[in-house]
Amino acid sequence: ASSSSSSSSLPAAPRRSPRALQRHSSLLSQYSSLLESYTEGEIRQLISALVERYSQAMNSGGHELPLFPQAGSRRKRARARHKPCALKELEVSVSELGLGYESDETVLFRYCSGTCEAAVRSYDLSLKSMRSRRRIKKEKVRARPCCRPLAYDDDVSFLDAYNRYYTVNELSAKECGCV
């Protein structure tokens, strides 16, 4: 009888509801994308600061640990860097395009800009792992999707400074996506 009373004195393991698990998973994905925006040096600084604060809090008997006292500005910068892939436009002269034409005519140049964090695939994760393990060394490979044109606008025609007529194809993006 005494053995059954000792086993029943242990508290039951707390169970999380499915909603709490989803919230936990959502927080993990938010923190992982935030940490991806840090450089290795920033991460080392962060860890050393956290360890120092933790040891100070434990030595003073405190239980509250302000992990990110200035996290607001850091989060804003991280969010600014992680704008989704989108089509942008700029009015420029033909000469500014860098294609070797001299012309004062202006064109609407549409380009793709932004990050593709949500489009990370198993391929990207595996490639990143192979690079970190030095299995892929000197090749130029990209371990994350890139914001690029999926389609281009119609051809652009213009007169150069010598009244010669030119047509340039695939100059301006029409649609952007993560490739």
Side-chain angles (χ1 to χ4, degrees):
S2 64
S3 64
S4 65
S5 65
S6 66
S7 64
S8 63
S9 64
L10 292 174
R15 291 186 177 265
R16 291 188 176 186
S17 69
R19 176 177 270 171
L21 289 174
Q22 285 175 340
R23 196 177 318 123
H24 181 69
S25 173
S26 172
L27 280 173
L28 282 176
S29 65
Q30 286 176 4
Y31 282 120
S32 68
S33 66
L34 177 68
L35 286 173
E36 282 178 8
S37 71
Y38 282 89
T39 64
E40 187 176 329
E42 287 175 317
I43 289 175
R44 287 177 187 209
Q45 265 185 322
L46 174 68
I47 290 171
S48 65
L50 289 173
V51 167
E52 185 178 71
R53 287 189 191 144
Y54 181 78
S55 61
Q56 286 173 355
M58 289 302 109
N59 289 340
S60 64
H63 298 288
E64 297 267 330
L65 183 60
L67 294 179
F68 301 102
Q70 298 170 340
S73 62
R74 175 70 194 160
R75 257 186 252 124
K76 283 179 195 165
R77 280 185 296 164
R79 234 181 286 130
R81 266 186 282 191
H82 291 292
K83 290 185 179 174
C85 181
L87 186 66
K88 308 267 178 110
E89 60 183 41
L90 195 61
E91 193 170 319
V92 297
S93 74
V94 170
S95 299
E96 289 179 292
L97 293 172
L99 299 175
Y101 302 108
E102 289 181 48
S103 176
D104 293 332
E105 283 196 48
T106 58
V107 293
L108 195 59
F109 179 68
R110 290 187 177 95
Y111 62 99
C112 300
S113 174
T115 60
C116 294
E117 301 301 322
V120 171
R121 294 174 176 86
S122 300
Y123 167 84
D124 303 303
L125 297 172
S126 297
L127 186 59
K128 192 174 186 177
S129 174
M130 292 301 108
R131 289 180 67 200
S132 69
R133 294 168 190 262
R134 304 244 188 266
R135 296 292 306 268
I136 299 173
K137 295 178 185 165
K138 295 184 180 181
E139 295 170 73
K140 293 199 177 201
V141 292
R142 212 172 177 82
R144 60 178 48 206
C146 193
C147 182
R148 297 277 300 158
L150 298 177
Y152 292 90
D153 269 338
D154 295 336
D155 296 345
V156 175
S157 300
F158 59 89
L159 284 173
D160 73 358
Y162 310 103
N163 286 328
R164 289 181 292 209
Y165 189 77
Y166 291 98
T167 300
V168 178
N169 59 355
E170 294 187 342
L171 172 70
S172 202
K174 183 177 187 177
E175 182 186 345
C176 299
C178 295
V179 183

